[in-house]
Structures are given as C-alpha cells and as structure tokens.
Amino acid sequence: MKATNTLRFVLAAMMLIAMAIWQFVPRTSHEILISDAVAAPIDGDPGAIGVFLKLTNTGGPDRLVGASSEVAATTRIEGPMPTLAVPSASTPSLSADGAFLYLSDIKGDLDDGRTLPVTLKFEKAGDITTRARLVAPKTKGAAASFGLFGIGDICQVGEGEPAPKIALRVNQTAQGWEVGVISSDFEFTPDLVDGPHVPGTGHGHLYLDGLKLQRLYAPSASLGVLPAGSYEIRVTLNTNDHRAYVLDDVPVTATARLTVD
C-alpha cells in the first residue's frame, strides 16, 4: 500500500512539473486571416478565373501549400513556385501582379456579384475557406511577356526620361530579414501613389517567390521569420499608377537569394 501511495505521489508531482514547464515554454501560434477576396474572369481564357485576396498572418511562419474549390475542375497557385512561404507577422497578398489562384472550368455562369467558395491549405494553419466575389474581367496585360509575375501591365521608359536602375541588399535580423533597395534615377513618392505617371517616380513591389509581400514607399523593408528553405526576393520599380517600369525591353527589377536553415 505504501509503495502504491508513493507511486501516485510521484506521478502527481511529475504531472504538476510538466504542466508548469508547458506554461513557460514559448509556443508559436499559427493564425491566418483572409480578407478582400475577389475573383475575376481572365480574358482569352474561357471558364477560367483568377482569385486575389489579402492574407494577415498574426502567428509564426507558415506556408500556403495548395487550394481547392468545389465549383472548379482545377485549382492551383499560379506563379513561379507550387507553394508559397508566408512570413510571420506579415500581410502578403495573392495579386494580379504576383502569384494568385487560378481556377478553371468553373461551374455555372460567371455573373458579376456571384460568390465562389475557395479553400486555402496551409502547412500549419490548416484549411481556411473564404468566398470570393466575382468582379470585372482582367486582361492578361504585357507583364508576363517580359518575365514578370502575374497579369499586370508595364510602363516603357521613354527616350529622354530618367532611366531607373536597382540593386538589393538583404540582411538577417533578430526579427527576420531586412531588405534594402539601392536605386538610381528614381524617387520614392508615396504622396503620389494612385496618381498619374511622373517619369522617374513611384514605388516598389516586394515579392517572395512570387508572393507579393508589400508595396515599398521607402528604400527598405522588414520581413518576418520564414520557414526553412531557399527563397528568391524580388523588387520591381513601379509607376504611381502601379505599372512595372521596363527599360529597353528589360524590367527594372532586382533579385537576391536567401536560405533559412
């Protein structure tokens, strides 16, 4: 009997110690919110739509590994990579000028205002379902012809106009990564965003393996923590009306690679 009581006491003590340790061990949450989801038919591709939306990651690093929709024959991530890393504490977007969701052979009419169910699959956060509202069709634009992401448009630098150039500097920090943009013949003009084009002015777009992380209104940006892997950071220079600068048929863009162990 005494041995039994002693064993019970030891087990109870071990459970209390384990609970105390669990309370003080740092834990990483994985919570991703989806907002502003829209779907647009793609001109020249009957029955296909692109889905564009905003992600808000309030937890640790995660990865978008796929998507599905009950109204589409196929659903895939349209971009240079089949999966997309989502940094911690970030607000990236699936966008027309970056990676987005491509749905084909949609059931039913593609009427304006219709909502379509879409489920995004994350490595840590799991499956998250949203509804994307159909809006006006999007044209494929000229971006893809110049090796750029997405289905956006471009701005050819005219003769006699400033000829922007760009390079990147990437450093690891305690909170993640710092991206520095070194540019010439270009001015960041946040006060002119959404306004008319002024040669040699505008902002940048920052991408991680094609996922649009943010706009750059200054020559530096911070990224959160990333899952383990090798990644391409890309920055494009864009006009105030969000077209990508192209100089002599070459996009004004720069890339850098980083590896997370």
Side-chain angles (χ1 to χ4, degrees), residues 18-43:
M19 291 177 63
I21 293 174
W22 182 84
Q23 283 185 318
F24 291 100
V25 171
R27 295 182 299 278
T28 302
S29 63
H30 299 282
E31 184 174 357
I32 293 180
L33 305 177
I34 299 175
S35 59
D36 302 334
V38 297
I42 300 175
D43 279 347

Short mmCIF file of all heavy atoms in Angstrom, two decimals, residues 18-43:
data_model
loop_
_atom_site.label_atom_id
_atom_site.label_comp_id
_atom_site.label_asym_id
_atom_site.label_seq_id
_atom_site.Cartn_x
_atom_site.Cartn_y
_atom_site.Cartn_z
N ALA A 18 5.34 18.97 -15.25
CA ALA A 18 5.15 19.05 -16.71
C ALA A 18 4.24 20.20 -17.07
O ALA A 18 4.49 20.93 -18.04
CB ALA A 18 4.59 17.73 -17.23
N MET A 19 3.16 20.39 -16.29
CA MET A 19 2.25 21.50 -16.57
C MET A 19 2.93 22.84 -16.36
O MET A 19 2.72 23.79 -17.12
CB MET A 19 1.01 21.39 -15.67
CG MET A 19 0.10 20.22 -16.00
SD MET A 19 -1.30 20.06 -14.87
CE MET A 19 -2.16 21.60 -15.20
N ALA A 20 3.76 22.93 -15.34
CA ALA A 20 4.48 24.18 -15.08
C ALA A 20 5.45 24.50 -16.21
O ALA A 20 5.56 25.64 -16.66
CB ALA A 20 5.22 24.09 -13.74
N ILE A 21 6.15 23.46 -16.68
CA ILE A 21 7.09 23.67 -17.80
C ILE A 21 6.33 24.09 -19.05
O ILE A 21 6.73 25.00 -19.77
CB ILE A 21 7.90 22.39 -18.05
CG1 ILE A 21 8.82 22.12 -16.85
CG2 ILE A 21 8.71 22.49 -19.34
CD1 ILE A 21 9.56 20.79 -16.94
N TRP A 22 5.19 23.43 -19.33
CA TRP A 22 4.39 23.74 -20.52
C TRP A 22 3.94 25.19 -20.53
O TRP A 22 3.89 25.84 -21.55
CB TRP A 22 3.19 22.81 -20.55
CG TRP A 22 2.30 23.01 -21.76
CD1 TRP A 22 2.45 22.47 -23.00
CD2 TRP A 22 1.11 23.81 -21.81
NE1 TRP A 22 1.44 22.88 -23.83
CE2 TRP A 22 0.61 23.70 -23.13
CE3 TRP A 22 0.44 24.61 -20.89
CZ2 TRP A 22 -0.54 24.36 -23.54
CZ3 TRP A 22 -0.71 25.26 -21.30
CH2 TRP A 22 -1.19 25.14 -22.60
N GLN A 23 3.61 25.73 -19.33
CA GLN A 23 3.15 27.10 -19.25
C GLN A 23 4.22 28.09 -19.65
O GLN A 23 3.93 29.16 -20.19
CB GLN A 23 2.68 27.42 -17.83
CG GLN A 23 1.31 26.85 -17.50
CD GLN A 23 0.86 27.31 -16.12
OE1 GLN A 23 1.65 27.34 -15.18
NE2 GLN A 23 -0.39 27.67 -16.01
N PHE A 24 5.48 27.76 -19.39
CA PHE A 24 6.54 28.73 -19.61
C PHE A 24 7.36 28.47 -20.87
O PHE A 24 8.24 29.25 -21.20
CB PHE A 24 7.48 28.76 -18.39
CG PHE A 24 6.83 29.34 -17.18
CD1 PHE A 24 6.31 28.52 -16.18
CD2 PHE A 24 6.68 30.71 -17.06
CE1 PHE A 24 5.69 29.07 -15.07
CE2 PHE A 24 6.06 31.27 -15.94
CZ PHE A 24 5.56 30.45 -14.94
N VAL A 25 7.08 27.39 -21.59
CA VAL A 25 7.78 27.15 -22.86
C VAL A 25 7.16 28.02 -23.94
O VAL A 25 5.93 27.99 -24.12
CB VAL A 25 7.69 25.66 -23.26
CG1 VAL A 25 8.21 25.45 -24.67
CG2 VAL A 25 8.48 24.81 -22.28
N PRO A 26 7.95 28.82 -24.68
CA PRO A 26 7.39 29.66 -25.75
C PRO A 26 6.71 28.80 -26.80
O PRO A 26 7.24 27.78 -27.23
CB PRO A 26 8.64 30.37 -26.32
CG PRO A 26 9.66 30.28 -25.25
CD PRO A 26 9.39 29.01 -24.53
N ARG A 27 5.53 29.19 -27.23
CA ARG A 27 4.80 28.47 -28.26
C ARG A 27 4.48 29.40 -29.40
O ARG A 27 4.15 30.57 -29.20
CB ARG A 27 3.52 27.87 -27.68
CG ARG A 27 3.76 26.81 -26.62
CD ARG A 27 2.45 26.23 -26.12
NE ARG A 27 1.60 27.23 -25.49
CZ ARG A 27 1.74 27.63 -24.25
NH1 ARG A 27 2.72 27.16 -23.50
NH2 ARG A 27 0.92 28.53 -23.74
N THR A 28 4.57 28.88 -30.64
CA THR A 28 4.28 29.66 -31.82
C THR A 28 2.86 29.38 -32.29
O THR A 28 2.51 28.22 -32.56
CB THR A 28 5.27 29.31 -32.94
OG1 THR A 28 6.59 29.56 -32.46
CG2 THR A 28 5.01 30.16 -34.16
N SER A 29 2.03 30.39 -32.38
CA SER A 29 0.68 30.21 -32.88
C SER A 29 0.69 30.30 -34.40
O SER A 29 1.59 30.85 -34.99
CB SER A 29 -0.25 31.28 -32.30
OG SER A 29 0.16 32.57 -32.73
N HIS A 30 -0.34 29.73 -34.99
CA HIS A 30 -0.45 29.76 -36.44
C HIS A 30 -1.88 30.20 -36.77
O HIS A 30 -2.80 29.40 -36.79
CB HIS A 30 -0.13 28.39 -37.05
CG HIS A 30 1.26 27.93 -36.77
ND1 HIS A 30 2.35 28.43 -37.45
CD2 HIS A 30 1.74 27.06 -35.87
CE1 HIS A 30 3.45 27.85 -36.99
NE2 HIS A 30 3.11 27.04 -36.02
N GLU A 31 -2.04 31.47 -37.00
CA GLU A 31 -3.36 32.01 -37.29
C GLU A 31 -3.26 32.93 -38.50
O GLU A 31 -2.51 33.90 -38.49
CB GLU A 31 -3.91 32.78 -36.09
CG GLU A 31 -5.33 33.28 -36.33
CD GLU A 31 -5.94 33.92 -35.10
OE1 GLU A 31 -5.28 33.92 -34.05
OE2 GLU A 31 -7.07 34.42 -35.21
N ILE A 32 -4.01 32.60 -39.53
CA ILE A 32 -4.02 33.39 -40.75
C ILE A 32 -5.45 33.78 -41.06
O ILE A 32 -6.36 32.94 -41.04
CB ILE A 32 -3.40 32.60 -41.92
CG1 ILE A 32 -1.90 32.36 -41.66
CG2 ILE A 32 -3.61 33.33 -43.24
CD1 ILE A 32 -1.19 31.60 -42.75
N LEU A 33 -5.64 35.05 -41.34
CA LEU A 33 -6.94 35.58 -41.71
C LEU A 33 -6.94 35.91 -43.20
O LEU A 33 -5.92 36.33 -43.76
CB LEU A 33 -7.26 36.83 -40.90
CG LEU A 33 -7.18 36.69 -39.37
CD1 LEU A 33 -7.44 38.04 -38.71
CD2 LEU A 33 -8.16 35.65 -38.87
N ILE A 34 -8.09 35.73 -43.85
CA ILE A 34 -8.24 36.04 -45.27
C ILE A 34 -9.27 37.15 -45.41
O ILE A 34 -10.34 37.11 -44.78
CB ILE A 34 -8.70 34.80 -46.06
CG1 ILE A 34 -7.66 33.69 -45.95
CG2 ILE A 34 -8.95 35.15 -47.52
CD1 ILE A 34 -8.09 32.39 -46.60
N SER A 35 -8.97 38.15 -46.25
CA SER A 35 -9.90 39.25 -46.47
C SER A 35 -9.81 39.73 -47.91
O SER A 35 -8.88 39.38 -48.64
CB SER A 35 -9.61 40.41 -45.50
OG SER A 35 -8.29 40.90 -45.68
N ASP A 36 -10.78 40.55 -48.30
CA ASP A 36 -10.80 41.22 -49.61
C ASP A 36 -10.65 40.24 -50.77
O ASP A 36 -9.95 40.50 -51.75
CB ASP A 36 -9.69 42.27 -49.69
CG ASP A 36 -9.79 43.32 -48.62
OD1 ASP A 36 -10.92 43.56 -48.13
OD2 ASP A 36 -8.77 43.92 -48.24
N ALA A 37 -11.32 39.09 -50.68
CA ALA A 37 -11.21 38.09 -51.73
C ALA A 37 -12.13 38.43 -52.90
O ALA A 37 -13.33 38.60 -52.73
CB ALA A 37 -11.56 36.71 -51.18
N VAL A 38 -11.53 38.54 -54.08
CA VAL A 38 -12.30 38.77 -55.31
C VAL A 38 -11.86 37.77 -56.36
O VAL A 38 -10.74 37.24 -56.32
CB VAL A 38 -12.12 40.21 -55.84
CG1 VAL A 38 -12.64 41.23 -54.84
CG2 VAL A 38 -10.66 40.49 -56.18
N ALA A 39 -12.76 37.49 -57.29
CA ALA A 39 -12.47 36.59 -58.40
C ALA A 39 -12.78 37.32 -59.69
O ALA A 39 -13.83 37.97 -59.81
CB ALA A 39 -13.31 35.32 -58.28
N ALA A 40 -11.90 37.21 -60.67
CA ALA A 40 -12.09 37.90 -61.94
C ALA A 40 -11.90 36.94 -63.09
O ALA A 40 -10.88 36.24 -63.15
CB ALA A 40 -11.10 39.07 -62.06
N PRO A 41 -12.86 36.87 -64.00
CA PRO A 41 -12.65 36.08 -65.22
C PRO A 41 -11.42 36.62 -65.96
O PRO A 41 -11.15 37.82 -65.96
CB PRO A 41 -13.93 36.31 -66.02
CG PRO A 41 -14.96 36.71 -65.01
CD PRO A 41 -14.21 37.48 -63.96
N ILE A 42 -10.68 35.71 -66.59
CA ILE A 42 -9.48 36.11 -67.32
C ILE A 42 -9.80 36.13 -68.80
O ILE A 42 -10.15 35.10 -69.39
CB ILE A 42 -8.31 35.14 -67.03
CG1 ILE A 42 -8.00 35.15 -65.52
CG2 ILE A 42 -7.08 35.52 -67.83
CD1 ILE A 42 -6.96 34.14 -65.11
N ASP A 43 -9.69 37.31 -69.41
CA ASP A 43 -9.97 37.45 -70.83
C ASP A 43 -9.08 36.53 -71.65
O ASP A 43 -7.88 36.41 -71.39
CB ASP A 43 -9.76 38.90 -71.27
CG ASP A 43 -10.96 39.79 -70.93
OD1 ASP A 43 -12.02 39.24 -70.60
OD2 ASP A 43 -10.82 41.02 -71.00
#
